[in-house]
Amino acid sequence: MDVRQMIESITREILQSMSIPQENKPKWLFIFCDSTAHESFADQFIALQNHGICHDLLFLDGETSSWLGMHCIECTGAGKIIATDEYAPAPLELPKEYDGIVIPEIDLDNAARVVAGLKGTIKAEIIFSALVLGKPVLVGEDVPGMKRSDRRCLKTLTLPGPYQKLFQRHVIEMKELGIEFAAQKELAASIIRKSRASQQATALALPHQDTQGQQPAAVKLLTADWVKSQSDFPDQKLVLRQGAIVSPLAIDLLKEKGIAVHYVR
């Protein structure tokens, strides 16, 4: 093969690879307290992979610094940068690249910052940014409210009673902000459900203005039997609350009837 043929072959392969549509898979960010905190989640990562859901791991290296791959991510100080990595995003920028944020363990300090709208730590800044952008934030609910490092240093596993009550109040307030809680062993299952609902919403979505004046249907699980039981769909549209699940048979039936679905908050 001469040089011209080789160049032509390489160019053809490049063009063919560029024309192949890339699958847009959901991608979530897990934030762990240290580089060993993720080890007990290996089975959940396998479950996510089997359902076509990607994930990245961010390891905290203190309260104001963390590692995402080879990039050191730092919080900013009062008007100045503590440290910088020219290729690393700021904590506030991270949620832009992900469909959701997962924090398997949160502590009293960060919970207090979140409910007070304060920044200054990696977790607090990422949660603030995700909520502002409307991205889901999933937090482990079966946690003691103490940092892993504090538990190791103080040789205790639980907060004293008054601090426990304070932590539970913060949990209630975080839920009011839109943060969702689930058992640590169920985090992957929650992500899978949310990703499936989001994919359904994308596949069946209507422009927002088309839903004006229509009230969302009061169903969380929409089945084919429910669709058959409805006598009429105004303007051939169905409005559902975000998070509602539509069964595969119901999706086929709605498409057959020419009914478009839109999800709203």
Side-chain angles (χ1 to χ4, degrees):
M1 181 182 293
D2 62 18
V3 175
R4 289 184 179 180
Q5 290 177 328
M6 182 176 66
I7 294 175
E8 182 181 352
S9 176
I10 293 174
T11 303
R12 187 179 294 110
E13 290 181 6
I14 293 175
L15 292 175
Q16 288 176 349
S17 65
M18 292 175 62
S19 63
I20 298 175
Q22 299 296 319
E23 185 179 358
N24 187 20
K25 294 184 178 181
K27 189 176 182 181
W28 289 64
L29 177 65
F30 282 77
I31 304 176
F32 289 101
C33 298
D34 55 51
S35 59
T36 62
H38 71 293
E39 294 173 353
S40 61
F41 291 83
D43 290 345
Q44 297 198 48
F45 297 150
I46 294 173
L48 293 177
Q49 183 179 11
N50 290 341
H51 283 81
I53 300 173
C54 302
H55 68 276
D56 283 342
L57 308 181
L58 182 135
F59 300 111
L60 298 183
D61 189 26
E63 287 300 304
T64 61
S65 61
S66 59
W67 289 90
L68 180 63
M70 297 298 293
H71 295 310
C72 180
I73 297 173
E74 301 278 349
C75 291
T76 56
K80 63 180 180 180
I81 296 178
I82 300 173
T84 185
D85 174 349
E86 61 178 325
Y87 298 109
L92 284 176
E93 296 175 319
L94 276 178
K96 294 180 180 179
E97 304 176 10
Y98 296 94
D99 293 278
I101 305 297
V102 185
I103 302 178
E105 188 169 330
I106 197 165
D107 54 85
L108 177 62
D109 175 29
N110 279 290
R113 288 177 178 274
V114 170
V115 299
L118 299 177
K119 302 178 187 176
T121 66
I122 295 290
K123 288 182 180 179
E125 292 194 11
I126 289 179
I127 290 176
F128 172 82
S129 176
L131 293 177
V132 170
L133 294 174
K135 301 291 183 72
V137 178
L138 190 59
V139 177
E141 64 181 2
D142 44 350
V143 294
M146 289 183 68
K147 298 182 178 69
R148 285 163 58 93
S149 58
D150 290 344
R151 298 199 299 267
R152 287 193 294 263
C153 177
L154 300 175
K155 304 301 180 184
T156 184
L157 300 177
T158 58
L159 291 167
Y163 274 134
Q164 287 183 13
K165 293 179 180 179
L166 179 60
F167 179 66
Q168 290 304 318
R169 288 200 296 270
H170 290 333
V171 169
I172 294 173
E173 292 175 327
M174 284 191 289
K175 290 179 180 178
E176 292 174 352
L177 291 174
I179 299 173
E180 299 182 47
F181 286 77
Q184 287 187 334
K185 65 180 181 180
E186 298 294 331
L187 290 175
S190 297
I191 293 172
I192 292 169
R193 286 195 298 269
K194 286 182 173 298
S195 297
R196 185 179 295 121
S198 178
Q199 290 170 344
Q200 291 176 350
T202 301
L204 302 174
L206 284 174
H208 180 70
Q209 60 269 22
D210 289 347
T211 66
Q212 291 182 357
Q214 295 189 26
Q215 294 297 322
V219 290
K220 294 184 178 180
L221 175 60
L222 193 147
T223 64
D225 290 337
W226 185 90
V227 176
K228 294 176 181 177
S229 68
Q230 303 303 303
S231 58
D232 182 39
F233 291 92
D235 300 324
Q236 292 295 99
K237 300 169 188 173
L238 173 63
V239 182
L240 298 174
R241 291 286 184 190
Q242 192 171 14
I245 298 174
V246 184
S247 72
L249 289 177
I251 292 176
D252 293 340
L253 186 57
L254 289 169
K255 289 182 178 179
E256 181 181 331
K257 291 177 174 290
I259 300 168
V261 179
H262 180 62
Y263 289 82
V264 297
R265 293 186 182 180

